[in-house]
Amino acid sequence: LMMMMPHDEKLALYTGDLHDAAKIDEFIRARQLPTVTEFTPQHSDTIFHASHKNLPILALIRNPNDASHRAAEEALRDAATELRGKCIVTVSGATENHQKRLTEMLGVEEEHLPAVRMMTINPDGHQQYNAAHKYKLTGQITSQTIQRMVTAYHTNTLKPYLRSEPVVSAAEQFPGSPWVVVGESFQSDVKESTVDVLIDFFAPWCGHCRKLEPAWKTLARKLAHVKTMRIAKLDATRNEIPGLHIRGFPTIMFYPAQDKEHPIDYQGDRSVDSFVAFLKKHGQPFDETPPPGFKGVSSGLLTDDEEHDEM
């Protein structure tokens, strides 16, 4: 059994058991792409298609014009010869549109370069949210550390990571505005909090999300006096939550104080009155009228009359 290909050694001889279909398949998969494939528009679909066949993608994101990144690429290419059949190895920049698609999936920012990441397609995600299970190489990029990373993946000792913006502490939250939740604070701000939480999972580029924003801000101000309620928001393009399935934007979910493991999807009209009616039905009892002496909360951006008009 011989395999011909337009890359690497051009011709490869299979010397294993001809009755072992799994070994033959492994032999073919290891050679269907070059040892190291440049992440180009022509190759990207092939790379992702191969990943769907249970082969992880190992990617080096670097600036090809930066001399300080060349050692990392040399290390990757050296390791790649030992990793055939264990992963798909690719190198990519971070400036072209197809490259940005990859860096967004991997959660790689320009200041992280050069960066080595591994990924597999997440069957529970989608293109805009948690599309991939991601793994990060920390520390120095060498042939040895890259190979150890791949070995750890195949022995199930490599832990995936989730994207998160920096945590916004309680002291940094603006009173009367939606509570800002990020990936790393979701557990404490939502799951472990003792209050009811209504949260908007949004995407900054989403027109429906932008249309919702004024009502969401008004709702947060309207219920600022309710101590048992938190109106929150999370940018789902930059933060990922374990086990959370988001299929579209905006996604609005209610986490009852007494049962955080069974959130309720909000499917109603996106108006302040509808949100309040939903919260009264599913949340702890509250009076939407502020108590005597409660002056409300100013955003600091509008006059008192303008704040009142928006309410």
Side-chain angles (χ1 to χ4, degrees):
L1 179 61
M2 301 182 72
M3 180 175 176
M4 292 180 288
M5 52 253 177
H7 48 261
D8 297 333
E9 67 267 46
K10 309 296 184 183
L11 184 66
L13 175 65
Y14 176 73
T15 58
D17 185 352
L18 291 174
H19 299 286
D20 191 334
K23 287 293 184 182
I24 294 174
D25 182 60
E26 180 181 339
F27 172 82
I28 294 171
R29 286 193 302 163
R31 292 161 178 80
Q32 64 181 336
L33 288 171
T35 305
V36 179
T37 305
E38 185 75 29
F39 193 80
T40 65
Q42 294 75 25
H43 290 149
S44 60
D45 286 345
T46 303
I47 290 171
F48 285 120
H49 178 73
S51 179
H52 277 291
K53 296 182 178 180
N54 299 319
L55 274 180
I57 296 171
L58 174 68
L60 169 68
I61 312 299
R62 86 304 189 219
N63 180 347
N65 300 316
D66 190 329
S68 67
H69 294 187
R70 290 173 188 165
E73 183 166 347
E74 289 173 3
L76 180 82
R77 292 184 180 279
D78 182 59
T81 60
E82 303 296 328
L83 298 176
R84 262 191 162 179
K86 299 177 182 178
C87 59
I88 302 158
V89 183
T90 186
V91 291
S92 175
T95 57
E96 302 297 329
N97 287 337
H98 66 283
Q99 297 169 343
K100 290 178 180 178
R101 175 191 174 198
L102 180 64
T103 57
E104 287 172 3
M105 289 181 70
L106 295 174
V108 174
E109 305 290 347
E110 186 175 355
E111 60 267 24
H112 299 154
L113 304 186
V116 172
R117 300 287 189 269
M118 287 184 68
M119 62 168 280
T120 57
I121 301 302
N122 179 9
D124 294 324
H126 65 81
Q127 188 172 354
Q128 280 81 38
Y129 179 74
N130 201 6
H133 295 300
K134 302 174 289 296
Y135 306 86
K136 180 188 300 185
L137 176 63
T138 57
Q140 191 175 5
I141 300 175
T142 68
S143 176
Q144 291 73 27
T145 57
I146 292 171
Q147 291 181 60
R148 284 197 293 268
M149 180 187 187
V150 176
T151 298
Y153 170 82
H154 284 287
T155 55
N156 296 317
T157 58
L158 186 65
K159 294 183 179 180
Y161 75 95
L162 296 169
R163 299 183 68 182
S164 177
E165 294 178 289
V167 172
V168 181
S169 68
E172 296 171 309
Q173 302 284 349
F174 196 91
S177 293
W179 189 278
V180 179
V181 180
V182 300
E184 291 183 3
S185 69
F186 185 83
Q187 188 68 20
S188 59
D189 286 347
V190 178
K191 300 291 287 291
E192 295 175 357
S193 68
T194 58
V195 300
D196 294 327
V197 180
L198 184 67
I199 183 168
D200 167 29
F201 297 94
F202 71 94
W205 45 258
C206 168
H208 295 294
C209 299
R210 291 195 293 269
K211 186 177 180 180
L212 169 66
E213 188 174 5
W216 204 249
K217 289 180 178 178
T218 299
L219 179 67
R221 288 199 302 274
K222 183 180 182 68
L223 301 181
H225 64 283
V226 181
K227 303 303 182 183
T228 59
M229 181 71 61
R230 175 173 291 166
I231 307 301
K233 64 178 183 178
L234 179 145
D235 181 349
T237 66
R238 302 184 67 83
N239 300 277
E240 296 167 343
I241 312 300
L244 183 66
H245 307 302
I246 294 178
R247 295 297 179 188
F249 299 115
T251 290
I252 300 172
M253 300 180 73
F254 178 67
Y255 287 79
Q258 306 303 322
D259 190 7
K260 294 295 179 73
E261 296 306 315
H262 297 91
I264 302 169
D265 287 326
Y266 179 82
Q267 302 289 347
D269 182 64
R270 295 170 186 167
S271 68
V272 174
D273 289 343
S274 295
F275 289 135
V276 171
F278 174 88
L279 292 170
K280 285 190 171 182
K281 177 180 179 180
H282 296 284
Q284 300 175 79
F286 67 90
D287 187 347
E288 64 181 284
T289 302
F294 186 82
K295 296 182 179 180
V297 181
S298 170
S299 68
L301 302 177
L302 303 176
T303 67
D304 291 342
D305 288 340
E306 288 170 333
E307 295 277 1
H308 180 73
D309 290 342
E310 284 209 1
M311 293 290 287

